[in-house]
């Protein structure tokens, strides 16, 4: 396992996609920061000295699902690249063991997602605080939200690493991953519209549950003001545990091309 | 008891209802260079994939170094193996050295064998050139290097000379011979270039439609493929006297009027010698079977 991790990290740190995704994550976060700064500057309330966006609101806004897309891309490129190059085959042939191979990939994908998330949160904490200020924001809330996001990033990594390991093909993994995020976003949006317009308690309950079940839904829930951070974190951790337990059962029996 | 590196017993792989490998029982002995012969789609690659653990079997079993495939220690046993299946396993954006380094890291061994292995396959001077810029032949060599860098005892090579020029093919042949002779590495190799296999292999296995038709040693195959002439005569009385006169010791009586002679002696010399003992050649058939013809006869026989 240690040997596989060394090999996978050696490959990761020599892969352009990791640095490109990190740069894009940083760039997007800075652009978002700029946009919110402009909103604050030109809003009607600014004249009255009231900020529309504070650092905590900016932190919530950073849960826009970008980490999900990045995780899908990173897992597909890293894992399917190993399939297409024959690295996966070579590891199995020399007896590295499929379970260990999967866990190694899972850890590397989790590392990439966490790094991308941390880059985005670096902008939130380092620049967001300076630009918008933390006045009146609870440290507990900010830290809890930070860890909720970290768990969500790990859940994304677990889901997309599993998808890539099982699908094997870059195009299939990328398309299915991105389509899944789109579809879940759409469902959550439609549900929230239905909740707002129908004002049905049953619908609202359904939305509450659905929005918390997947990392995509959790993003929407956090942006919408959800505060049950540790429940969200626990659900994300459950995704990681499910991937770690269930995917190897299938992967050990899977035929490799 | 023979020291078997690989033994399969009724190994089967089904895709849907069709069998890509159908009840194959084969035996690769320690120190063998086992030439695996079969047409495209005959099941060679699927069988190699099964043995390498890349696809799940549908039936039967196999043993590697005496370890059954059902044994949890099979993964540890695989550490004694190296393989190229269809295409070499390469990271296109890595140099030759980096490719081998990843392989060493995954295997949990040091990288002190890398330079030696690159030299062995003639890639020591590639420096910073990335594998994606390699020629087909260089990629093939790098694939062989990747299979060798972990110092395996058993090499599985599926079409390893694909894309190599004649000089490259000869070099790989020599390399495999050397590895077999000097390091005692057992080689299980398939190739479409039957002439190459004939020069290299010590044992042959013939597969057709997923079924192993025959396993034969190179010596037996050579005997079966030996050049001969079949003489159809008006009789065979005193035939032995004529052969003794010519100094031909190897011949075989096929019937009361036909004899097979294993010798490079000219037909006219045979005719004169036979005339001296009162025999007349009615007609002559040359029997010149090489590996390719042997294989074609074998699969032809299977079809009937």
């Amino acid at each position: 396992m240690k040997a596989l991790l060394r090999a996978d990290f050696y490959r990761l740190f020599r892969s352009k996609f990791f640095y490109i995704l990190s740069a894009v994550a940083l760039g997007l976060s800075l652009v978002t920061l700029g946009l919110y700064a402009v909103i604050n500057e030109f809003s009607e309330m600014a004249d009255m000295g009231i900020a529309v966006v504070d650092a905590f609101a900016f932190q919530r806004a950073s849960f826009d699902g970008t980490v999900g897309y990045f995780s899908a891309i990173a897992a597909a490129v890293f894992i399917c690249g190993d399939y297409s190059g024959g690295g996966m085959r070579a590891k199995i042939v020399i007896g590295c063991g499929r379970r260990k191979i999967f866990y190694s990939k899972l850890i590397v994908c989790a590392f990439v997602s966490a790094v991308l998330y941390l880059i985005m949160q670096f902008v939130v904490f380092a620049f967001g605080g300076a630009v918008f200020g933390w006045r009146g924001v609870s440290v507990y809330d900010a830290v809890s939200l930070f860890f909720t996001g970290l768990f969500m990033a790990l859940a994304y990594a677990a889901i997309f690493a599993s998808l890539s390991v099982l699908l094997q093909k870059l195009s299939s993994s990328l398309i299915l991953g991105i389509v899944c995020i789109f579809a879940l976003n759409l469902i959550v949006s439609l549900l929230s519209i239905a909740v707002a317009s129908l004002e049905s308690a049953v619908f609202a309950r359904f939305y509450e549950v659905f929005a918390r079940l997947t990392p995509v839904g959790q993003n929407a829930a956090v942006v919408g003001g959800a505060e049950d951070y540790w429940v969200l974190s626990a659900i994300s951790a459950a995704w990681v545990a499910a991937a770690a337990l269930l995917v190897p059962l299938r992967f050990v029996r899977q035929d490799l091309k | 008891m023979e020291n078997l590196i690989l033994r399969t017993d009724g190994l089967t792989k089904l895709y849907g209802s069709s069998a890509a490998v159908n009840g194959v029982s084969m035996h690769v002995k320690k120190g063998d260079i086992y030439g695996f012969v079969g047409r495209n789609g005959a099941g060679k690659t699927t069988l190699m994939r099964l043995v390498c653990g890349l696809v799940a079997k549908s039936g039967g079993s196999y043993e590697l170094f005496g370890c059954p495939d059902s044994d949890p220690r099979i993964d540890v046993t695989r550490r004694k193996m190296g393989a190229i299946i269809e295409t070499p396993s390469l990271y296109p954006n890595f140099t030759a050295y980096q490719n081998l380094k990843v392989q060493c890291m995954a295997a949990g061994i040091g990288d002190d064998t890398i330079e030696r292995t690159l030299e062995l396959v003639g890639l020591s001077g590639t420096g910073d050139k990335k594998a994606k810029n390699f020629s087909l032949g260089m990629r093939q060599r790098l694939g062989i290097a990747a299979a060798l860098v972990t110092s395996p005892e058993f090499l599985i090579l599926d079409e390893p000379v694909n894309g190599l020029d004649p000089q490259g093919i000869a070099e790989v042949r020599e390399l495999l011979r050397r590895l077999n002779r000097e390091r005692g590495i057992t080689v299980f190799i398939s190739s479409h270039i039957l002439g190459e296999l004939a020069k290299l292999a010590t044992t042959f296995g013939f597969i057709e439609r997923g079924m192993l038709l025959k396993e034969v040693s190179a010596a037996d195959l050579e005997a079966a493929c030996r050049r001969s002439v079949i003489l159809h005569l008006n009789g065979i009385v005193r035939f032995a006297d004529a052969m003794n006169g010519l100094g031909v010791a190897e011949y075989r009586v096929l019937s009361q009027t036909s004899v097979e002679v294993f010798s490079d002696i000219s037909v006219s010399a045979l005719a004169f010698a036979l005339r001296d003992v009162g025999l007349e050649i009615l007609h002559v058939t040359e029997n010149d079977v090489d590996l390719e013809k042997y294989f074609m006869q074998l699969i032809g026989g299977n079809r009937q």
Side-chain angles (χ1 to χ4, degrees):
Chain A
M1 183 72 180
K2 204 170 134 190
L4 276 171
L5 277 171
R6 278 186 66 209
D8 275 339
F9 274 111
Y10 178 84
R11 208 183 125 226
L12 175 72
F13 291 132
R14 277 157 189 78
S15 302
K16 279 184 194 157
F17 84 89
F18 176 57
Y19 299 101
I20 292 171
L21 283 180
S22 300
V24 173
L26 182 64
L28 276 179
S29 299
L30 289 172
V31 167
T32 312
L33 174 83
L35 281 174
Y36 278 96
V38 168
I39 290 169
N40 255 5
E41 188 66 28
F42 292 100
S43 72
E44 287 177 7
M45 289 177 173
D47 297 336
M48 295 180 277
I50 301 167
V52 175
V53 180
D54 61 14
F56 189 58
F58 180 56
Q59 188 187 2
R60 276 188 186 279
S62 72
F63 285 69
D64 54 4
T66 314
V67 173
Y69 290 106
F70 285 165
S71 299
I73 293 167
V77 173
F78 186 72
I79 294 173
C80 301
D82 215 10
Y83 274 116
S84 62
M88 197 71 103
R89 230 166 36 201
K91 288 180 186 106
I92 291 171
V93 168
I94 59 169
C96 292
R98 292 196 185 206
R99 278 175 194 277
K100 289 179 185 170
I101 291 171
F102 172 70
Y103 291 137
S104 175
K105 299 280 177 239
L106 183 62
I107 290 169
V108 172
C109 287
F111 172 81
V112 174
S113 294
V115 166
L116 296 171
Y117 171 72
L118 291 176
I119 287 172
M120 296 170 88
Q121 291 305 298
F122 168 75
V123 173
V124 168
F125 283 90
F127 300 115
V131 174
F132 307 116
W134 289 101
R135 196 172 301 158
V137 177
S138 144
V139 174
Y140 174 81
D141 282 347
V143 171
S144 301
L145 188 56
F146 170 81
F147 280 106
T148 303
L150 189 59
F151 275 106
M152 280 160 63
L154 299 182
Y156 274 126
I159 292 166
F160 294 120
S162 304
L163 211 57
S164 299
V165 161
L166 296 178
L167 291 176
Q168 301 185 22
K169 282 182 74 178
L170 176 67
S171 52
S172 315
S173 302
L174 259 184
I175 291 169
L176 192 64
I178 289 170
V179 165
C180 277
I181 296 177
F182 265 122
L184 285 169
N185 264 326
L186 188 68
I187 293 169
V188 171
S189 302
L190 289 174
L191 280 175
S192 66
I193 291 168
V195 168
S197 49
L198 296 175
E199 291 180 5
S200 152
V202 178
F203 238 113
R205 187 77 195 131
F206 182 67
Y207 169 77
E208 289 290 312
V209 173
F210 189 83
R212 277 157 178 77
L213 278 181
T214 62
V216 178
Q218 288 181 6
N219 275 317
V222 167
V223 172
E227 290 180 344
D228 47 350
Y229 306 120
W230 299 107
V231 172
L232 298 178
S233 300
I235 293 170
S236 294
W239 275 104
V240 179
L245 287 173
L246 300 177
V247 175
L249 298 177
R250 172 76 191 126
F251 182 49
V252 293
R253 302 167 57 84
Q254 186 166 283
D255 287 352
L256 260 76
K257 295 201 176 80
Chain B
M1 188 180 149
E2 284 176 321
N3 198 354
L4 291 176
I5 296 288
L6 169 67
R7 187 180 71 83
T8 73
D9 183 16
L11 196 57
T12 300
K13 176 66 184 176
L14 299 172
Y15 288 109
S17 58
S18 73
V21 172
N22 193 355
V24 169
S25 298
M26 69 189 306
H27 310 83
V28 180
K29 282 179 276 182
K30 185 175 171 61
D32 262 357
I33 298 180
Y34 191 105
F36 202 30
V37 183
R39 294 188 298 176
N40 283 338
K44 302 189 296 290
T45 302
T46 307
L47 189 126
M48 288 178 157
R49 284 174 179 277
L50 280 164
V51 172
C52 287
L54 297 173
V55 296
K57 67 181 183 183
S58 307
S61 62
Y62 63 90
E63 280 180 14
L64 273 171
F65 295 90
C67 178
D69 64 295
S70 54
D71 192 314
R73 288 171 302 171
I74 191 74
D75 278 339
V76 180
T77 308
R78 283 190 207 286
R79 292 189 179 254
K80 298 181 194 169
M81 278 173 61
I84 301 181
I85 305 291
E86 283 186 317
T87 51
S89 302
L90 307 172
Y91 296 110
N93 289 317
F94 280 10
T95 64
Y97 186 92
Q98 288 171 333
N99 265 291
L100 298 194
K101 187 164 173 108
V102 174
Q103 184 79 347
C104 286
M105 281 178 158
I109 59 168
D111 53 9
D112 47 326
T113 55
I114 296 177
E115 292 291 359
R116 197 161 16 108
T117 310
L118 284 174
E119 208 167 309
L120 196 66
V121 298
L123 288 176
S124 53
T126 51
D128 291 336
K129 191 173 182 177
K130 291 182 175 170
K132 66 182 173 189
N133 298 322
F134 281 11
S135 67
L136 194 57
M138 288 168 83
R139 284 183 205 191
Q140 208 68 29
R141 285 161 201 260
L142 184 53
I144 294 172
L148 287 173
V149 76
T150 54
S151 307
E153 292 174 38
F154 181 34
L155 264 182
I156 296 184
L157 304 172
D158 184 21
E159 307 283 354
V161 294
N162 262 2
L164 294 182
D165 55 25
Q167 191 192 341
I169 292 173
E171 283 171 9
V172 169
R173 188 203 317 142
E174 278 315 304
L175 171 68
L176 294 177
R177 264 200 198 131
R178 217 162 70 224
L179 290 168
N180 177 256
R181 195 176 52 234
E182 294 171 8
R183 297 194 197 171
I185 295 178
T186 305
V187 182
F188 179 29
I189 179 173
S190 74
S191 175
H192 283 114
I193 308 171
L194 298 185
E196 272 310 309
L197 275 190
K199 288 176 192 166
L200 187 65
T202 55
T203 306
F204 295 87
F206 298 91
I207 188 168
E208 169 71 356
R209 296 181 192 181
M211 287 186 281
L212 191 73
L213 301 179
K214 197 167 190 174
E215 277 186 311
V216 60
S217 72
D220 288 345
L221 186 70
E222 197 184 339
C225 294
R226 212 151 41 142
R227 192 176 174 155
S228 65
V229 284
I230 296 171
L231 304 172
H232 298 270
L233 309 164
N234 57 349
I236 55 166
V237 180
R238 297 193 64 207
F239 179 83
D241 294 342
M243 292 302 106
N244 286 339
L246 286 170
V248 173
E250 289 187 86
Y251 59 87
R252 177 161 76 115
V253 175
L254 301 175
S255 71
Q256 290 300 314
T257 56
S258 60
V259 184
E260 186 173 15
V261 179
F262 301 96
S263 172
D264 278 340
I265 196 160
S266 72
V267 176
S268 57
L270 278 170
F272 282 124
L274 289 168
R275 195 188 58 191
D276 289 347
V277 295
L279 295 175
E280 189 186 345
I281 297 178
L282 302 176
H283 71 267
V284 178
T285 316
E286 201 173 1
N287 191 18
D288 185 12
V289 180
D290 59 7
L291 179 59
E292 192 173 301
K293 281 184 187 160
Y294 183 86
F295 171 61
M296 295 309 286
Q297 283 172 6
L298 205 60
I299 63 169
N302 185 50
R303 280 180 186 160
Q304 284 160 8

